[in-house]
Structures are given as C-alpha cells and as structure tokens.
Amino acid sequence: MSFRKSHPPIGARPGTLAIPPDSPPPQIRLVAYDAQGVEERDVGDVETLAALPGDRIIWVDVRGLGDETVLRRIGELFAIHPLALEDAVNVPQRASSTLYENQQVIVVRVPRIGEDGTIDAPQVCFVLGPRFLITFQERPFGFFEPVRARLRAGIGPMRTLGPDYLGYALIDTLIDRYYPIVQTLSEEMEELEAEVIEHPLEDSLAKIHQVQRKLVLLRRIGAPQREALAALLRDHSPLVGEPVRVFLRDTYDHAAQIMEAVDSTREMGIGLVNLHLSNVSQRTNEVMKTLTLVASIFIPLSFLAGVYGMNFDYIPGVHQPESFAIFVGVIVAIAGGMLWWFRRRGWLGSRRR
Amino acid sequence: MSFRKSHPPIGARPGTLAIPPDSPPPQIRLVAYDAQGVEERDVGDVETLAALPGDRIIWVDVRGLGDETVLRRIGELFAIHPLALEDAVNVPQRASSTLYENQQVIVVRVPRIGEDGTIDAPQVCFVLGPRFLITFQERPFGFFEPVRARLRAGIGPMRTLGPDYLGYALIDTLIDRYYPIVQTLSEEMEELEAEVIEHPLEDSLAKIHQVQRKLVLLRRIGAPQREALAALLRDHSPLVGEPVRVFLRDTYDHAAQIMEAVDSTREMGIGLVNLHLSNVSQRTNEVMKTLTLVASIFIPLSFLAGVYGMNFDYIPGVHQPESFAIFVGVIVAIAGGMLWWFRRRGWLGSRRR
Amino acid sequence: MSFRKSHPPIGARPGTLAIPPDSPPPQIRLVAYDAQGVEERDVGDVETLAALPGDRIIWVDVRGLGDETVLRRIGELFAIHPLALEDAVNVPQRASSTLYENQQVIVVRVPRIGEDGTIDAPQVCFVLGPRFLITFQERPFGFFEPVRARLRAGIGPMRTLGPDYLGYALIDTLIDRYYPIVQTLSEEMEELEAEVIEHPLEDSLAKIHQVQRKLVLLRRIGAPQREALAALLRDHSPLVGEPVRVFLRDTYDHAAQIMEAVDSTREMGIGLVNLHLSNVSQRTNEVMKTLTLVASIFIPLSFLAGVYGMNFDYIPGVHQPESFAIFVGVIVAIAGGMLWWFRRRGWLGSRRR
Amino acid sequence: MSFRKSHPPIGARPGTLAIPPDSPPPQIRLVAYDAQGVEERDVGDVETLAALPGDRIIWVDVRGLGDETVLRRIGELFAIHPLALEDAVNVPQRASSTLYENQQVIVVRVPRIGEDGTIDAPQVCFVLGPRFLITFQERPFGFFEPVRARLRAGIGPMRTLGPDYLGYALIDTLIDRYYPIVQTLSEEMEELEAEVIEHPLEDSLAKIHQVQRKLVLLRRIGAPQREALAALLRDHSPLVGEPVRVFLRDTYDHAAQIMEAVDSTREMGIGLVNLHLSNVSQRTNEVMKTLTLVASIFIPLSFLAGVYGMNFDYIPGVHQPESFAIFVGVIVAIAGGMLWWFRRRGWLGSRRR
Amino acid sequence: MSFRKSHPPIGARPGTLAIPPDSPPPQIRLVAYDAQGVEERDVGDVETLAALPGDRIIWVDVRGLGDETVLRRIGELFAIHPLALEDAVNVPQRASSTLYENQQVIVVRVPRIGEDGTIDAPQVCFVLGPRFLITFQERPFGFFEPVRARLRAGIGPMRTLGPDYLGYALIDTLIDRYYPIVQTLSEEMEELEAEVIEHPLEDSLAKIHQVQRKLVLLRRIGAPQREALAALLRDHSPLVGEPVRVFLRDTYDHAAQIMEAVDSTREMGIGLVNLHLSNVSQRTNEVMKTLTLVASIFIPLSFLAGVYGMNFDYIPGVHQPESFAIFVGVIVAIAGGMLWWFRRRGWLGSRRR
C-alpha cells in the first residue's frame, strides 16, 4: 500500500471520477431514524432516494464504487459538490476535512493488517449535511455494524442528536481500529528487542526494518487524520453541534495518543538498530581477538619449529640431547608471555559483569 | 508499560466503562472543609454523597475502579459528563485537560519506578466543579497524604481558596514525582558514561538502550502532561481562578524543566552510543594491528625456513657451515625492516597522549 | 538541475531580465473566451495584443523567453510589475505566490524526469489579472493541451467562471505532474529494498543514494510550491473568487499528499541505508568467523607437526611405531575440542531461524 | 551540574523554602540612588530595610541564601509573592520571567567554567518593583561589580532611568558571561577537528564527547534564558518602560546569537564524530589490506615449500639439480602474479591524491 | 571566521564601542541626490556633515571603523541611538533589523570566500532615517559600486523614491553575493559525490567535512539574515514605504531560496558521508574475503604437508611410490571442495551487476 493513486489522467477536469477497475458495484443501504424508531432497507434503485420523507434523519451507506452513473446520481440528489464526490471515489485520498458550503466532507482512512502482515488503508468518505449523512466505502466492509446495532437499540444520544453525532460515532469506530494494529507492531518491536538483546539472529535487522516501514506507513496515514480532526474542531463547522464537538475532541485525543505510540515505537526501533549494529561490531571484535590470540602465539612458534626443521648441515644445538627440552621450555615461555600480555590488554576473559 | 489500553470493544458507544479486571473495589473518602475546619470520613455507601451540605467545599477521593455501579452513581450525583467518566475509568488515558460545560476534567499520569527498574504510570483523574473536586485513582495510592496533612493543618491559602487550589496542590504533588525518577535515570546515564569512557563492558550498550527506553517512555507520558498544563493556562478555564493560575504556571515550569532534563539526558545517551561504537571499532583496529604485525613478520620468515627444510638434493648454501648465521642475520634484517615500516605507518606504540 | 540561476549580475537593478542564452523566441498564443465560445489564434506581432476587445476573458500563453523586447512590450501592455516580469523571465525562481496591487503572480515549477533519470523543473509563471491570465513558459511545452481541450469543449465551469478558474485548472494540471515522478521514485526505492534484503549488490547503496538525491531535489522544488498554495489560500487574494478557492484547496491537498509521500519514501531510504550497512557488517562477521575457525584449528596443529619435523637428534616418541597413531589421536582431539568450543560460543551453524 | 534540584519534599506546600545545606548566610547590600547621587551600605540587620526613604530608587542585593528568617522577612517587607521567593531560593530554577501582580520576577542562570572544565550555572533571581530591585544570589559572587561602578560614576542613563534599567544592566552583564565559555568550547572543538583530521588519537572521540556534553548543558541553561527574554519583551510588562525595552531587545539578540553559536558548534561536533569513525574504519581497512597482502602471498608459498619438505620416498623433481632454480622461479612468478592482481584491485599504493 | 566577537568587556555599559584594533580609519563618502541630479564627494572633516542642505536625500557611506571620535560625532549629528551605533561598530553582529524610534537599523553580513576557501562575513550596518541613509562598512569594500553607478545614471525609480529604495538596492546587492558562494559549495559537493561513487580517496571524507562546515557557517550567517528580512516586512516599519516593501519581498525570496539550497546541499553531504562509510566497510569486507579464501585453503593443506614432513619412524604411506600422486589428488580435492563451498556462499566472483 505505497504511493499509488487511481488518479484521473493529468489535466482531467476536477470532479472526474477515476473508478478503480476492480470496484464492486455499489450496494446502497438506507437508514432513516428519529427518536421514535429506525427504518433500514437496502435500496436497489438509486431513484428511490429522490423521494425520501423529510422528517427523519437519513443515512445513506454506499458500499462499493463500481458504477459511475449511480454515484453521480447520488451526487445530484444530495447536491454534493463535484470535488467532494471526486474525493469520495478517487481512492485513496489523504485524510481530510473540508467544508463545501453546507456540507462537511470528511475522508477517513481505516488501517487494516492483512494475514501476511501487510498494511492497507481503505477509505471511507463522509458527506454530512444538515439532516443527512452519506458514507462512501470502497467495498462492503463491516466497519459500521456495531454502530448500526447501537442505532437500532437507541442507546445514548444516538437517535436524539442529529446526523453529526452519527458521523462522530462512525468516525470514532474507525479510529478505534488503529489500536490493535499499533499494539501488534509495538509488541513485535518488543519481541525483536528481546531477540536482539538476548540472541540476535541474522535477519533481526531486516525484521526491525519491516516493522519500521509499517510504522512509517501508519504515520503517513494517521498524521493527516489527526490533523483533519484538529481542523474540524478548530474551524467550528456549522454542521457539527457543540454537544458533538465535545465527543469529537475525545476522538482527537485518541488519534493523538495513537500517533504518540507510533512515534515512540519508531524511536525504540531506531535504538534497536544501533544496538544491533553495535552487537555485530562487538562480536566481530570478539572473533578477531580469538583469531589474533591463536595466530599470534602459534605463528611465531611454528617459525621456530621450522627453523629447526631446516636442512642446514650446521644448526646450533641440533645434536645436543637436552635441546628438545630447552626448545619446549622456550616455547612455553613465549606462549606464556604472550598470554600474559594479552591478558594485560584485556583481550582475555569475558567482560560481562 | 508499553502501549496497552484496557479499551472498550471497537464500536462501543462513548461512555462505555471498560473496567480493568483486576481493579480493586472503590474506597471513597470524603473531605468537607472551609476556612473554619476540616471533616474527613470514609464513605461506605455511595448514596451518602447524595445528601451533602452545600456550604463547604467537597473533595471526594475515589480509590479503586472495580465497581461500575458505584462509579456510575457518582457520575450521576455530580453530573459528570459520560466522556469524563470514561476518561477517569478507562485507564491509561493520555494526560489531558478538557472543559465539559461547568466541569474541568484533568487527567494526570504519575510515573513510578519499580523495584526491577520498570516504569509504570498509573492515572489520576480530576473532576473539578465550582464547589467540589473528585479524584479517581486506579488503586489506593498514598500520593495525596502530604496535601491531606496540609489541609488538616490549614497552612497557607489551602482552605481559604476554592477547590481549584486544592486541585492545583494535588497536581503539583503528582508532578513532583517526576523529579526523583528523572534524577535516577540521569545518574544511571552518567554512570554508564563513566563506564563507557573508562572500561566499556560487553553489555554497556544494552544498558544504555534500557535507560533510553525509559526516557522515551517518560517523554511519552510527560510531554502531553506539559501540554495539558499549558492548555489549562491558555484556555482561561472559568473554574480556575486568577490566584490559582499563578501557582499553576509554576507547576507548568516544573513540567517544562523535567522535559528538558529528559531531552538532554537522551541526547547524552545518543552521544554515548556513538562513543561506544567508535570504541569498539578502535579496539578492533588495535587487535587487527597486532595480528597484522605478528603475521606479517613471521609468515614470510616461516616460508624462508620452509624453503631450507625442503628435501631437494641441491639447495644453495645448505652445506656451508656459516649458512645458519647468515640465515639468522637475514631474518633479523627482515623482521627489523618490517618493524621500522610499521612504526613509520604509526601502527606501533600507543597513541594516547 | 542543482542550484544554478541565470541570475543578473550582482548589483543589477531589480527588473533586469537575464534571458538564458539558449531561450527560444517567444511563441504567443491568444485565447479569448466567454460562456458563448472560444477563439484561439497565434499572435505573430506583439502589438496585436494592444487592441483586444474588453468583453471576453483573455489568456495570453507566451512560450519561450528569447526576446526581451517582446516580453517588455507584453509587460507594458498588461501593466505587469517589473519584479513580476523578472520572476517570469529569470528562471528558475522559487515557487511563490505574490500579490502586486491588482495582479496575482504565481510561479510554478513543473518537475520532469528525463530519459537518463535526471530531474529538471522548468518554470511556468502565471500573471492573473481581473479579466486576463498571462502564462510564461520557458520553452514551448505541451503541459496545457488538456486544459485547452476542456476550454474548447466548455465542460464544467471552465468558461462561466473567470480567469481565476482557468489559472486554477492550469496549476492543477501542473501539480498533477508530480504524481508519476513520486511513484517512479517510490517504486525504485521498493525495488532497492527487495534487492538489499534478498541479495545486496556492491552498488546498491550508490543507487539508494541516487534516489535519495532526487527526493531531496523534489522536496526542494515541491515544498515551496505547497507553501505558495497555502499562502494563496490564506491571504484571500481579491483576484481569486470564493468558488475557485474551494478548488484550490483541493490542489493544495494534492501538493501536501505528494510531499508526505516524498518524506516517507526518504525515511524508507534512510532505513535501507542502515539495513545495508548492517548487512555488510554481518557478512564481514561471517567471513571473519570462517577464517578464525580454520586458522584457529590448523595453525596450532601445523605447529605440532612442525615440532615433530625438527631435526633434533632427540625428540621424544619419534622412534616408537605407535607414535603416529597417538599423534593423529591428539590432533583429532584438539580439533574436536576447538570445534566444540566454537559451537558453544555460537560461531558454528546458521543463525537464521 | 546535572539535573539536581534542592527540591522541597514531594507534596510540600508551594512557597516552601528548601535552602541548600551549604548556603552561606545572606549578606545584604543596600544601594539607594537617584540622579543626584548614590548611597551604598551593608545592612547587618534586615529590619533596617523596613524604614527606607521613599524618594530614591532602592537596590537590595542579597548574597547568600543561608537564613530562612531573613529571606522571609525581606519577602514580607517588599510584599514578594511566595512563589517568587520560592523561585529565588530553591536553586536551581529554570530561567524564566513571570509577572506577579506588580512585580516582575526574572530568574537568570549564569554559566561558569571551572578550573577542571566542568560547567556550573549558579542562579540570580531579580524581583523588580515600581521603585525597587531586589537581587538574590546563591552566594556572594562578584558579577555585579562593573555595574556598581557605572552606577557610582553615573554614566549614561544609569541613574536617570528607573530600576528597570538597572535590572537590564545587570542581566546584560550576566548574559555577557556566556561569550567566553562558548568561545572556549568552540575553540576546543576546532582543535579537536585539527587533531582528528591530522593525527587522530585514541581518546579524541571521548574528548569530543566531553565538549558536546558541555554544549548540551549550555543549551539546556541558555535556551530557556533566551525564551524568558523573548517572553519579557513579548508580554509588555508594565514594570519595564519602553526605553528599557529597546535595550532588552539587544540583550535578547545576544542570547540568540549565543544559542546559534552553541548549535553550530554542536553540529560541527556531530560531523567530527562521523569523520573520526570513518577514519578508524579506513585505517582498519588499510591494516587488513597489508595483512591480506602478506598472508595471501606467503601462505601458499609456504605450502609449496612444505610439500617439498615431505618425507615421501618419491616426490617428483627432488633429485634433479635444477629443481631449486625452477622452484624459485615458480615462487617469484606466483608472488609477482598476486602482486599484479592486488595492484589491479587497487589494494597497493597510497590513495591520497 | 568562527565565533569571535570584538566584544566590549563584560559589564561595560551599553553603547560602548569596541573598535577592533586593526580597523582602518574611516573614509566618509557623501552622496546627495534628488530626481534632478547626484552630487558625490569624499568628506575629510566629519564636521562638514553638520551643515547639509535639507532638500536632497543624503547617503553617508562610512568605510572603516578605526576612529571612535569620528563615529561618535556621526552618531550625534544624525541622532543615532547608542545601541544602533554599538551594533554598527562592534563587529560581527548577528544580522538583524531593529526600529529605534525614527530610525530603522539593519545589520547585514556579506559572505565572502577567500583564496584558501575560507569563508568570512564582514558586516555592513544600515541606519535608515526619513531623509537619509548611513552605511557603516568594516573596511573600504567595493560592494556598493554597481548601485552607485545606477544612482549616477538615474535608472529606474532609483532617484525618485526615497532613501528606503536606496537601502533596498544596496541590501539586495549584498544578498546577491550569497549566490556564487552557495553555487561553489554545491559544485564542490557534486564533485565529491562523483569522487566517492567512482573512486573514493582516503581524504574524501575530510573534504566533505570541510564543505559541510562551510555550509553550517553559511547557514549561521544567512538564517538570521532571512529572519531579519522577514521581520522588516512583517513589522511594517514606518520608514519603508509600500512600493519598496514589494521589492524587499523579492529580496526575502532570494534569501529563502539561498537557505533552501544550503539545506539541500547539506543533506546531500550527510548522504555522502553514509555512502562513503559503507564503501569502506564493503571494501574491508572484500579484502577479508580474499584473505579468508586464501588462508582457509592453504592453511589446512600446509598442515597436511607438515604431517608428512614429520620425522616419525613410522608414517603410513611414506614409502609407497604412488603416495605423492594420492597426496596431490587429496589436496586438489580439498581445495576444490572449499572453492565450491565459498562460491555457494557467494564469496567468489563480483557482485556488481
């Protein structure tokens, strides 16, 4: 999920919809509710949306973007700004919050971690009007089920507050999805830390790099999200009432907490890379000391043995019977002296306290 | 104490209380005071709080979060916003300061260093109203004893100013708890510095890494704390009077000073890692020079001895009696020449001034 | 395309036009349009521009800067500020947005990636007046063809809104040109990542460095561009109407998204460099372990063999027939002991899980 | 001078004075002046300060903090805010500037470099009232002598402007004390740079680390100082007149210049560490090349000599008289060939241009 | 040109002039102009300036600071604030822009690159009054010649606008002097990049370090310059008219462009250092592989030859005639096996694609 945008051709006019080729056809689910009750149904024909009763709050959940005609028709029916429709369809957009006259358009990216550990971040776009909320999902995800259940049950201010509260509840649900991912990455990093400190493996660093990459990715998705929520709070959108703002501030705090966790995990990773590098250097140093020790003792001794193996007719001491004992004595003395010198330099013995 | 949140399930409605399973049952301590006197008592039945005399300042100290019914009842009695109650119970929250209509809710994280050197940061949540203060502690900590004593003694403006001053005094007490921890870490880092400079050990770097991790953690807890205090000062909460603001600014200065100490200790740690890495490289270099010296001198000499050990019928000089002396002379000359060359390259002798 | 500026001589008066020596002569294309229709023609003589009908929106597209007289005359005819004209001609300028009394001057840099992978960024300067738009291109590029086509077709608000919308449409087209370049660099970096993790080559790092350099360059061009768009939005230029501001905000979002992609690709590159460095260290460590193993086992054994090859008259055991078998036994024991010790230290066997 | 605070016990009430145990008893020097003249005298009994004539500007210089009663009495006499008095006494505080009703309290840290190169930063606290200035010094330093002399001589606006100008003059004198320290550290770093480039020593890096630590420390002291001055200018304190603000801006510029010098020296240090690390790597590389050269040539040759030293009954060529000459020829050819190969790989000969 | 300040003694009163000992005596050049004409003459006696006609714009160019009396007299004649005079004389100051009542004082640092590649930055101080401009140069530089020529020729608004335009023209000329220096450093860095990638030398890193140091220096001089220009624009000085502000904004853009070029060149340098370090590591790795290859093959073989060179009476196979052939076969098999193993591990053959 790197930088890849199903972008309209360069120079295309704004509002051009670049529908990804593998998009499923849109499933439209209509929810109309007020304090008294909730009515839910799937909408087969988009024209049904043209004649909605005005007294209830309308939530149109569009799942799948594979039919331009339908999307354009929804855009017309709810007077959605062409750029807002473009944001909804041309995925992935940067998370953002924009006010178009009397509609607040919020783009949310929902991080998911796949079976194989890759992260992707499908997009959900919210178009919030005075009495309706439209959500565009790339494909039919199950993100919204818990909120739908709360809506049916009518718990809390769910049905008494306007569509802004519904939008908040949905966005909060999506932001919550960051937690398990950040926790997974954080735990992976902690396991890698134990591994690096206790018994580093050849591919430890590559694994740290993989986790770091996912954190960079998560940051790239999540930081604009936090900013978008901050902007929504700061700009005092007329479509978000004061009671809902209090809740949104809580969501913002969650987003900020998530980004701080991402950042401190990344810093931990940077520290781990340094630790690992130093471990490798230290192990190389250990290996070198062993080699130097063995070679420095035996290479000179070998030379000495070689000298007495030469075929010169006259080599001093060759014929004395005590020579071998003297030779052994000299050798032991040399070896002992070098060991003493190595020990003095601290190259012998463990240094771990 | 990494990123772990006793978080309600994804999509849960706001205000859901996710009480950690091992929470002790709440102990409620009621303090009612005015300039004349202080009355303290433990409250067994939460309903006692329903009928409090209105003329004194009330401090309800809730220690332990293990009973949702009791917590909800306190929330009802003091009209606490659902999100505020959620912040108080769903630990750990990010340190923050939020105004809910006529209540200022402040979340404080109190760093503690355990026997085994691990850092955790239990949370205390303050709900400050016009005439009352409620504090929620995760478990029955003794953090507040000194302030309680001052309250009994009636020293300073403790009883003449409102609950905002009490809140300040308690928060200040909690922020003070950073000092010994930062000092401990700072001293550990200084000891590690002495160790790295004088006699680096194999696990020095792992120990530096451990201290750095704790500093990152402390930063992650403390930086939002500093921001929360700054926000409280900046936003001119109606619940914090001007006389108390002056005191809070002092607390903010302490928080800032602590974060600066954390940051400069961390920078010191980064410098230490570099120093250590370079030390290892330098030691490897020393080891290599020794090996190279020994091997470069004796390997050619061994070859020479090997040549005269060959069994060729005719090798020049083998039968001359003076050959061995000449051989020794040649060897000494070669060894001397190489030593001279090594010295000229600066590979011999210490380089420490 | 490093820091090279066809800059006027030091101390030249402002407004001096430093025309690059190889500039092609200007081709002037005049487009006059209103909601009813579009008229396009090439203008051979600059004086034709002196007598333009006032009721249509005028777009003068100047391609090539090789004739100072013509450029100065255009400046006079449209009352362009000398500094604005200097910005248009003295390429390359930093991307910027400046209000000169009643003209908004916007400098846009258009990144291009050449056949050989080098990046350059020719400049297009927009002078936006109340009823006209003048564009200055360094040479006759084809950047504007798609917009020209949309203008002819009259799609969208192209002909109903003023020259500010035309300017927006052109700038948006130019910003879109960043996408394929960032995507190319991002993909190159991902390929290099696979290379470094799976089978690092000698020049992998030099290739990463090349990509990093291009990203630094792209950042240097793009960051002022993003700022210029932000300034244009923030300063509420009287020449940019509210409907067009909404569109420009979308363009700004694109520029921000591009810069975020550049930054996260760069961070990925930094991680890769560390990974590669560590790989090299680890491989050196592997190589050293092999050498140490072989040398540590066979150098002492060689010494032992050398001892029994000496020509001393008396060497214990030389004449016993069982000596060789004992010698072989001792040797096998020594080698086995060392192997056991190496294995215990973890220097034998792979460490990849 | 690391993070060590003579801090009151946790939970102590604000305004608690934690007098460091080794504080000398306060010496109080009273200066009363106006345009006509200056009167100076040492005050033995603090009660003398209770009856001061109101028509002159009063400067009370308290040197030494070792008597709580005296300090508290001064606080009462001049109506100093308890927190201000706490700031003055509980050293070291962070440099700051705070307005307490009608008193401006400024904490200044004065860096000093000791004989042994360690840096400490005693604190001077200024309490500026409408007609008086009180200074609290940790011990009797001589910092203020030059200003006292100027006051006596009545040079410049010293006696015509109010106590704010006196405060400025004293603060400016203290800030000036940064210059020689920064210059010393900057020169040490430049010497280390020359050392690293020309003849790096074993402990060069440890010395760079020491200088870096002092710079980090200086930054930690000086950055809040700069901020405090900026805050003093920004907040338009009623106690600092417009003529004095112009002078204070100059002091702020000095503080900013000092911090910039600290930062660029630190960056230089970071560059030096990298340079040194690379030098060590490069020297290791040189050493390795020498070893490889010698070993790669002579180890195979030794083997060849060893082969002809074997005691096999039949070894080809052993009995031919020309064998030795051929052997020498082969050896020279092998050695020559390897040298040629090494040279081609660039491992022979210096690489310094 | 490091941190060195001809600073007055600590505690000196503000306005003290610390004239550097080697300052040349001031040469004063007076230019009086209006739209009609220009009059230029050298002023020998400073008192001449006391009686200047009031109807023309006056430019007093003071070159050299070696006479305190003259400088103080100029200060009196034009009512220059003592601190402004101090800024002009006590070189080097930080680049700044300050408003003293009715005078705008601007300090500009002019970077110069010497024959030996060192950078210095003499200072020019501008004192801009309503009808006059005074410039103080450290020594008689030729910086202002081009502007003087334009003034004589009366090109552009040079003589019709006030002294603010003259000031702008002079400052713009000085800022232009950054361009060739930044370009030189940028080109040096690019040459070093080619060197490091194609054939790194022993001192490449030291050279990169030198260029980096100059860039740090340039940043330290130039960043306050950019800030000073930004402050001049932001603060809406009453002495700088609106027409001149437009021009100054252009100068600010140049300063910003220069700093961006400095920053991206520095980032390139950091990348180069990493590239070089990795190259050295990789070369060490190559060298080690060669050594390991040769040693691992021949050391065991040498041992084998040594075994058959022993003087044991009984060594199996010594007396069989076919033994030598078998021995050679075994040796070739061992060597071949090891080569095969090394190739499988990827230690043989080049890895460059």
Side-chain angles (χ1 to χ4, degrees), chain E residues 74-117:
Chain E
I74 293 172
E76 278 169 35
L77 289 172
F78 291 92
I80 299 174
H81 192 281
L83 280 175
L85 205 60
E86 190 190 342
D87 279 354
V89 174
N90 299 357
V91 294
Q93 292 291 320
R94 191 172 172 251
S96 63
S97 163
T98 320
L99 180 66
Y100 291 103
E101 286 165 53
N102 57 352
Q103 295 181 352
Q104 188 76 31
V105 177
I106 301 154
V107 173
V108 177
R109 300 283 296 278
V110 191
R112 294 191 307 177
I113 200 155
E115 286 291 307
D116 56 346

Side-chain angles (χ1 to χ4, degrees), chain C residues 152-307:
Chain C
R152 279 187 214 111
I155 303 172
M158 202 74 205
R159 296 209 309 240
T160 50
L161 288 173
D164 49 351
Y165 187 85
L166 176 62
Y168 147 73
L170 294 170
I171 290 171
D172 192 62
T173 299
L174 298 180
I175 298 295
D176 274 356
R177 297 207 162 243
Y178 278 92
Y179 280 103
I181 295 176
V182 174
Q183 188 161 342
T184 301
L185 294 178
S186 174
E187 281 164 8
E188 280 180 28
M189 196 62 99
E190 277 174 27
E191 275 168 34
L192 284 167
E193 185 180 46
E195 184 177 310
V196 163
I197 289 176
E198 281 153 33
H199 50 95
L201 300 178
E202 221 178 275
D203 57 351
S204 298
L205 207 90
K207 287 188 284 185
I208 296 170
H209 180 76
Q210 293 300 345
V211 178
Q212 291 286 64
R213 275 204 60 193
K214 288 180 202 164
L215 289 166
V216 168
L217 204 56
L218 215 58
R219 196 172 211 305
R220 192 165 130 207
I221 302 165
Q225 194 75 62
R226 184 184 49 182
E227 283 170 41
L229 288 168
L232 187 59
L233 286 167
R234 193 181 51 236
D235 297 350
H236 287 271
S237 165
L239 292 153
V240 180
E242 191 55 37
V244 173
R245 284 175 55 76
V246 171
F247 287 98
L248 270 175
R249 210 157 41 187
D250 191 63
T251 305
Y252 168 78
D253 270 355
H254 289 178
Q257 191 183 23
I258 287 160
M259 281 302 104
E260 280 160 15
V262 165
D263 283 348
S264 64
T265 310
R266 278 178 63 200
E267 283 192 51
M268 186 178 151
I270 291 169
L272 266 191
V273 169
N274 279 330
L275 185 57
H276 187 264
L277 260 168
S278 163
N279 275 344
V280 170
S281 295
Q282 210 147 4
R283 283 206 314 271
T284 301
N285 185 270
E286 289 294 304
V287 169
M288 287 309 306
K289 281 199 293 203
T290 303
L291 174 59
T292 300
L293 216 77
V294 170
S296 301
I297 290 174
F298 285 100
I299 287 178
L301 298 187
S302 281
F303 164 68
L304 222 64
V307 165

Side-chain angles (χ1 to χ4, degrees), chain A residues 17-171:
Chain A
L17 303 187
I19 292 171
D22 58 342
S23 287
Q27 301 170 8
I28 302 173
R29 185 154 188 89
L30 174 70
V31 182
Y33 67 94
D34 56 15
Q36 273 67 48
V38 179
E39 187 200 331
E40 282 184 80
R41 67 189 144 108
D42 285 317
V43 173
D45 180 10
V46 67
E47 292 305 325
T48 320
L49 299 174
L52 291 173
D55 51 347
R56 293 188 149 193
I57 295 169
I58 299 295
W59 170 23
V60 179
D61 186 17
V62 182
R63 294 181 296 180
L65 306 170
D67 188 334
E68 185 168 347
T69 322
V70 168
L71 298 175
R72 287 215 177 279
R73 184 66 185 134
I74 293 172
E76 278 169 35
L77 288 171
F78 291 91
I80 300 174
H81 193 281
L83 280 176
L85 205 60
E86 188 189 346
D87 279 355
V89 174
N90 299 356
V91 295
Q93 291 290 321
R94 192 173 172 251
S96 64
S97 162
T98 320
L99 180 66
Y100 292 103
E101 286 165 55
N102 58 350
Q103 295 181 351
Q104 188 75 32
V105 177
I106 301 154
V107 174
V108 176
R109 301 281 296 278
V110 192
R112 295 191 307 177
I113 200 153
E115 286 291 305
D116 56 345
T118 56
I119 289 179
D120 74 340
Q123 163 182 323
V124 180
C125 181
F126 294 80
V127 178
L128 174 65
R131 295 292 294 166
F132 65 85
L133 175 73
I134 309 174
T135 51
F136 292 93
Q137 306 185 42
E138 272 187 72
R139 30 196 89 239
F141 300 119
F143 300 148
F144 292 161
E145 278 319 308
V147 178
R148 213 185 297 275
R150 277 159 53 196
L151 196 60
R152 281 187 212 111
I155 304 172
M158 202 74 205
R159 296 209 309 241
T160 50
L161 288 173
D164 48 352
Y165 187 85
L166 176 62
Y168 147 74
L170 294 170
I171 290 171

Side-chain angles (χ1 to χ4, degrees), chain C residues 9-64:
Chain C
I10 287 176
R13 76 185 188 83
T16 303
L17 302 188
I19 292 171
D22 59 340
S23 286
Q27 301 170 11
I28 302 172
R29 186 155 187 89
L30 174 70
V31 182
Y33 67 94
D34 56 15
Q36 274 67 48
V38 180
E39 186 199 333
E40 280 184 82
R41 68 188 144 107
D42 285 317
V43 172
D45 180 9
V46 68
E47 292 305 326
T48 319
L49 299 174
L52 291 174
D55 51 346
R56 292 187 151 191
I57 295 169
I58 299 296
W59 171 22
V60 180
D61 186 17
V62 181
R63 293 180 297 181

